[in-house]
Amino acid sequence: MATSGKVIRCRAAVAWAVGKPLSVEEVEVAPPKAGEVRIKIVAAGICRTDDHIMEGAFPNMDYPVIPGHEGAGIVESVGEGVTSVKPGDRVIPLCVPKCGECIFCLNPEANYCLKSHFVEPQNLMPDKTSRFTCKGKQIHHFLWISTFAEYTVTPECAVTKIDSAAPLDKVCLLGCGFSTGYGAAINTAKVKPGSTCAVFGLGGVGLSVVMGCKAAGASRIIAIDVNKDKFAKAKELGATDCINPQDFKKPIQEVVTEMTGHGVDYSFEVIGRVDTMTAALASCNMNTGVFVMVGELPAGEVVSVDPKLLLTGRTWKGSLLGGWKIKDCIPKLVSSYLEKKFNSDLLITHTLPIDKVNEGFELLRAGKSIRTVLLF
Ligand code: PAD
Ligand code: ZN
Ligand code: ZN
């Protein structure tokens, strides 16, 4: 391509400091170095995790930074030695990479590579430099993929090729939100047919958990949110009961336990709060109940629980990116999307140009959107 090997000037949403709205700037994006890929991002979804960066609640973050970790695009150029993608390929950047060599990449049961952010911060490329500059300043990367930029650079291990027929403005959600929720039900909880589930939090990720529980054949899916405007969509996607904790005097775990006799088989927390994590844990049955934690607590917050809750047999699990081995699984999920095995389009409530990124975050915070897709 004509731009190959050159610095590209383009738009990106920059978080200059904690607590400030993003600012859409012209940035310079350097060509990919050996082992790296430069991608023209076509569409990017807004996930709550990006909001955590703006609030300063995401661990190990350096500023200024270009957030965004849900996106889809087309490879513009590749650095030396890159073999898995070539210019023109449609791709999804991966917020969990696959180095392919670490003990967890080699374990078929594990998906969190040792090159991932919580192990080794990804605010810079693996060679500890940045490909982004703006107004003469170095700008940091986020999770190695920074999808809120018209062009971004990722290591080859953080990008995967998808079917060229995939609509990028739709499958961008498979980069995080949809895959996270759907996989939490299918891979992490391993929901069984005929079982009962409770899902706390009905944002883009929680509603994807509802879809996963339904696809796995759950007979009852109790959807829980303080925002009743989320209930219609939850029912459409498979929830059998929708309840608002604010409508009850007693704690919500008691309500769920009464509704089901002894608690659900599987509960999920998809909000990121201490109180709802404790409630979700106590909502699954004391013997075989499985609680899956998906929501992310602000850095440094801790949950204290009565160990008796676990002593009787409950299991408490965490799930990142739905437990998928993401580099291999995203292309398969894209194929399933194209075969209409699930309809993640139902999660997209808004589409905005990148210049309106802050409006997208306001819609999310106000509970008015599920997923907003930003277009470049
Ligand atoms: P969202 O903000 O769209 O959804 C959160 C939902 O929770 C909203 O519908 C709220 O109304 C609801 N809610 C808020 N407070 C309460 C409460 N006290 N009781 C009941 N409901 C409440 O966020 P999202 O769906 O984009 O993300 C949800 C969480 O998942 C968030 O913490 C995010 O950081 C995390 C996440 N985890 C992973 C992962 O890999 N584990 C990936 C992506 C997102
Ligand atoms: Zn996300
Ligand atoms: Zn690895």
Side-chain angles (χ1 to χ4, degrees):
M1 294 201 188
T3 46
S4 175
K6 298 185 185 138
V7 169
I8 294 178
R9 298 176 77 85
C10 64
R11 284 168 307 157
V14 180
W16 287 103
V18 171
K20 294 252 166 70
L22 296 178
S23 113
V24 177
E25 309 273 5
E26 189 179 83
V27 299
E28 289 100 50
V29 186
K33 291 193 183 175
E36 298 176 357
V37 179
R38 189 161 60 180
I39 302 163
K40 178 171 174 36
I41 297 290
V42 172
I46 296 183
C47 173
R48 181 64 83 175
T49 304
D50 298 305
D51 204 22
H52 294 331
I53 303 183
M54 292 159 75
E55 294 163 353
F58 198 87
N60 303 333
M61 263 334 287
D62 287 329
Y63 293 79
V65 61
I66 298 176
H69 63 282
E70 218 179 68
I74 299 169
V75 174
E76 176 267 342
S77 62
V78 300
E80 214 179 300
V82 170
T83 54
S84 65
V85 293
K86 58 179 190 314
D89 282 349
R90 291 189 165 214
V91 291
I92 289 185
L94 309 172
C95 51
V96 170
K98 179 195 175 189
C99 78
E101 292 163 1
C102 74
I103 187 166
F104 296 122
C105 280
L106 295 173
N107 178 347
E109 305 272 299
N111 81 325
Y112 204 65
C113 170
L114 282 176
K115 294 281 175 209
S116 300
H117 182 84
F118 293 154
V119 184
E120 200 178 298
Q122 297 171 340
N123 304 315
L124 293 168
M125 285 288 112
D127 75 347
K128 307 294 173 212
T129 62
S130 165
R131 303 293 159 268
F132 295 122
T133 45
C134 178
K135 297 175 179 159
K137 286 207 177 79
Q138 169 183 278
I139 310 293
H140 289 91
H141 295 253
F142 175 53
L143 300 181
W144 277 347
I145 61 175
S146 294
T147 57
F148 292 173
E150 215 174 333
Y151 286 84
T152 192
V153 177
T154 76
E156 184 181 10
C157 65
V159 62
T160 196
K161 183 180 166 175
I162 58 168
D163 192 317
S164 61
L168 300 179
D169 58 338
K170 302 288 193 296
V171 298
C172 57
L173 298 199
L174 274 52
C176 178
F178 174 76
S179 306
T180 295
Y182 200 71
I186 289 183
N187 302 324
T188 312
K190 298 189 168 57
V191 169
K192 289 188 190 139
S195 61
T196 54
C197 303
V199 183
F200 287 71
L202 305 173
V205 186
L207 288 170
S208 303
V209 174
V210 170
M211 289 167 89
C213 294
K214 163 103 178 162
S219 61
R220 195 161 183 201
I221 303 169
I222 303 171
I224 301 156
D225 204 297
V226 289
N227 179 353
K228 63 177 174 21
D229 296 345
K230 305 282 176 115
F231 293 166
K233 184 78 77 173
K235 286 229 161 109
E236 185 185 349
L237 296 175
T240 53
D241 308 72
C242 291
I243 54 175
N244 180 348
Q246 293 166 341
D247 290 343
F248 300 89
K249 289 219 171 67
K250 59 179 98 168
I252 196 68
Q253 54 270 40
E254 287 179 24
V255 177
V256 173
T257 305
E258 277 168 22
M259 284 170 81
T260 50
H262 301 283
V264 290
D265 297 309
Y266 309 96
S267 59
F268 301 84
E269 202 273 4
V270 205
I271 305 165
R273 291 172 55 97
V274 170
D275 57 348
T276 45
M277 281 192 188
T278 326
L281 172 66
S283 295
C284 67
N285 84 63
M286 64 194 279
N287 280 276
T288 58
V290 176
F291 161 52
V292 178
M293 173 177 68
V294 180
E296 291 163 37
L297 285 184
E301 279 193 24
V302 290
V303 184
S304 69
V305 294
D306 178 348
K308 274 203 291 301
L309 283 171
L310 295 163
L311 191 66
T312 52
R314 280 188 182 88
T315 308
W316 178 346
K317 300 181 94 175
S319 181
L320 273 168
L321 255 294
W324 302 103
K325 276 201 172 295
I326 209 86
K327 186 153 176 142
D328 311 314
C329 291
I330 283 198
K332 291 181 193 151
L333 281 168
V334 168
S335 303
S336 300
Y337 168 89
L338 291 171
E339 289 159 15
K340 300 198 177 348
K341 293 201 173 138
F342 54 79
N343 187 0
S344 50
D345 296 359
L346 294 170
L347 303 171
I348 303 172
T349 52
H350 297 76
T351 304
L352 289 173
I354 180 65
D355 307 283
K356 295 198 171 160
V357 59
N358 289 314
E359 203 174 297
F361 277 100
E362 276 153 30
L363 287 164
L364 180 68
R365 289 180 202 128
K368 291 191 176 136
S369 60
I370 302 293
R371 272 301 195 256
T372 295
V373 171
L374 300 168
L375 297 177
F376 290 85

